[in-house]
Amino acid sequence: YDKVNPLVNLRIGDMNLALCDIEAAEKAFQKYKASKHNDQVAQSRLQNIDFNKAAQLNRTRHNVKPVSKINSPNTDYAPTMGDKKMSTVVFSSSRPGTTGGKNCQITCEPFMDIFVAEMDKKGNFGPPEKIDGVNINTQDAEGSVCFDSKFKQMFFTRCPVTDKQNMGCEIWFSEASGKGWGEPTLIDLKGGNDTITVGHPCVTPEDDVLIFSSNLPGGYGGLDLWYSVYNKRSKSWSSPKNMGPEVNTAGNEMFPTMGSDGILYFSSDGHVGMGGLDIFMAERVGDEIKWVKPTNMGFPINSCANDFHFVKQHDRKGFFTSNRPHTDVKGAYRDNIWQWELPPNLFTLDIRVSEIGYRGAKGPAVADANIKIVGS
């Protein structure tokens, strides 16, 4: 059948890559390339194969592992830090007992709710619970969350559940109220067009720019990253603007997150990567609303599977989402929350102190010298 429709080989290659069978994926992509059906797409897939092999040979120093005390047999994804102390993780889950109760026709799992899990001083998680708030979790699907710099404002994705209607997702806003969150307000970023999707909110450290993923018209293909600027006088968000071809591709750009240093993290299946969604980082250009030179974060942060929503707890520790196969994961090939850690750099220093002899020659050793080491 691939003689009639060469796309078969492309789809077989994509599926083998998702299953981490790199050799089978490469053979399928080579067959697709030989058909000359779409040389650009074929070349892009083969670049992913080459990058995958190179990344595994030159892995970064990150250690990664699934967070078993948070993950369930259902979908758990989009972790973010939920307080100033960095002691709580807020995430979305379709585990049994969600507010909506009904199952999604696409995933066959319950519609998602927002959950929170607290960590003790040793980093051990308590049992996850639904986030406390007024109409935050509903019969609709509530997704990825972000907070302002003071953790007094929460932005989250909500995808309406309406029978026989194509309703796009939206971004909602809520303010802290007591120990929970107040009644949310819709942020209109799509001009009343129900079929357009906006979601995956992310705010800059100054709390004045909202970055999100959308299929708004005028993009570069698939889902793009867009931004809106907050006007303090009118207390409103500006019309969305596309983040441009430096960040966006003909594929999908999704799940933006922001470090306290202003570095933008996002996931893409359009930039060259290991397969599926890969996590990239991009630096901001001064005070401009512009991020450039996306860099793939390499293996093992990325894998052949979908990897997304990278956040930092501290400079050397944080969380992300992946549906990569793993023996410790509950539910194979489902989105699960993973933890990353960058071990410290260890150095052995051998310092010898001696007097300066005649004409700079080495003199006798200095016993019990006090040495102060200064450096990053």
Side-chain angles (χ1 to χ4, degrees):
Y1 186 71
D2 63 336
K3 305 299 183 189
V4 178
N5 187 354
L7 277 173
V8 170
N9 286 318
L10 179 66
R11 301 302 177 222
I12 290 174
D14 286 340
M15 185 54 65
N16 280 317
L17 187 56
L19 296 171
C20 299
D21 190 340
I22 307 303
E23 291 185 4
E26 186 173 17
K27 288 179 181 178
F29 292 147
Q30 290 285 9
K31 286 184 178 180
Y32 182 66
K33 182 181 179 181
S35 72
K36 299 187 182 299
H37 182 72
N38 191 324
D39 288 343
Q40 186 176 359
V41 172
Q43 191 60 38
S44 174
R45 293 297 199 278
L46 290 170
Q47 283 180 323
N48 287 343
I49 294 292
D50 292 340
F51 184 89
N52 187 305
K53 292 178 179 179
Q56 292 194 64
L57 290 173
N58 299 281
R59 62 169 290 156
T60 67
R61 297 180 61 251
H62 296 87
N63 294 325
V64 301
K65 63 180 180 180
V67 187
S68 58
K69 290 188 177 180
I70 289 184
N71 292 321
S72 71
N74 287 14
T75 295
D76 304 285
Y77 81 112
T80 193
M81 306 313 301
D83 65 348
K84 286 185 177 180
K85 296 180 180 179
M86 302 294 165
S87 61
T88 60
V89 170
V90 178
F91 64 99
S92 297
S93 177
S94 64
R95 63 190 61 204
T98 59
T99 306
K102 295 181 180 180
N103 277 11
C104 172
Q105 293 179 354
I106 297 174
T107 65
C108 298
E109 295 180 355
F111 289 105
M112 289 174 291
D113 274 359
I114 299 171
F115 285 79
V116 59
E118 293 188 9
M119 286 180 283
D120 61 22
K121 293 181 179 179
K122 295 182 180 180
N124 297 315
F125 282 100
E129 298 179 354
K130 294 178 188 177
I131 198 166
D132 187 13
V134 180
N135 292 326
I136 301 298
N137 289 321
T138 65
Q139 65 177 3
D140 296 332
E142 280 76 36
S144 53
V145 176
C146 75
F147 297 92
D148 72 340
S149 59
K150 297 179 180 179
F151 293 90
K152 297 294 185 182
Q153 299 176 335
M154 176 174 68
F155 303 82
F156 65 95
T157 307
R158 175 176 287 163
C159 301
V161 179
T162 305
D163 291 339
K164 299 180 180 180
Q165 290 189 44
N166 180 17
M167 302 288 285
C169 300
E170 301 162 324
I171 293 176
W172 291 72
F173 161 81
S174 175
E175 292 188 328
S177 177
K179 293 184 179 180
W181 295 92
E183 182 82 35
T185 303
L186 173 66
I187 301 176
D188 184 11
L189 296 167
K190 54 185 186 178
N193 190 326
D194 287 343
T195 60
I196 288 175
T197 280
V198 296
H200 311 161
C202 163
V203 290
T204 55
E206 298 78 23
D207 302 326
D208 59 347
V209 179
L210 175 67
I211 300 172
F212 58 94
S213 183
S214 178
N215 60 348
L216 282 162
Y220 293 85
L223 292 167
D224 278 5
L225 294 189
W226 299 71
Y227 72 87
S228 175
V229 180
Y230 188 69
N231 187 316
K232 291 184 179 180
R233 288 187 178 181
S234 62
K235 295 183 179 180
S236 62
W237 294 94
S238 67
S239 297
K241 290 187 177 181
N242 193 284
M243 294 189 69
E246 187 92 29
V247 170
N248 293 314
T249 67
N252 295 295
E253 280 66 48
M254 309 165 71
F255 297 101
T257 61
M258 185 71 63
S260 58
D261 51 5
I263 291 179
L264 174 68
Y265 301 93
F266 67 96
S267 291
S268 171
D269 59 12
H271 293 281
V272 175
M274 296 187 69
L277 290 171
D278 270 18
I279 299 171
F280 293 80
M281 57 185 292
E283 295 186 1
R284 189 169 183 173
V285 180
D287 294 329
E288 295 182 56
I289 306 178
K290 184 178 181 181
W291 283 261
V292 295
K293 298 179 181 178
T295 303
N296 190 296
M297 296 194 69
F299 179 79
I301 294 294
N302 290 316
S303 69
C304 60
N306 289 321
D307 307 289
F308 56 97
H309 212 277
F310 177 95
V311 296
K312 287 186 174 182
Q313 179 185 10
H314 304 295
D315 282 343
R316 310 185 76 87
K317 196 172 185 179
F319 302 91
F320 67 103
T321 308
S322 180
N323 67 346
R324 67 187 70 183
H326 195 280
T327 55
D328 294 339
V329 168
K330 301 174 182 178
Y333 300 106
R334 278 194 169 92
D335 294 336
N336 276 268
I337 295 172
W338 288 62
Q339 186 176 56
W340 64 267
E341 186 171 5
L342 193 59
N345 294 311
L346 302 178
F347 298 91
T348 299
L349 299 180
D350 181 7
I351 301 175
R352 307 183 184 196
V353 181
S354 61
E355 296 180 8
I356 298 177
Y358 179 66
R359 291 184 177 179
K362 183 178 178 180
V366 178
D368 301 321
N370 290 320
I371 299 169
K372 182 179 180 181
I373 300 172
V374 180
S376 62

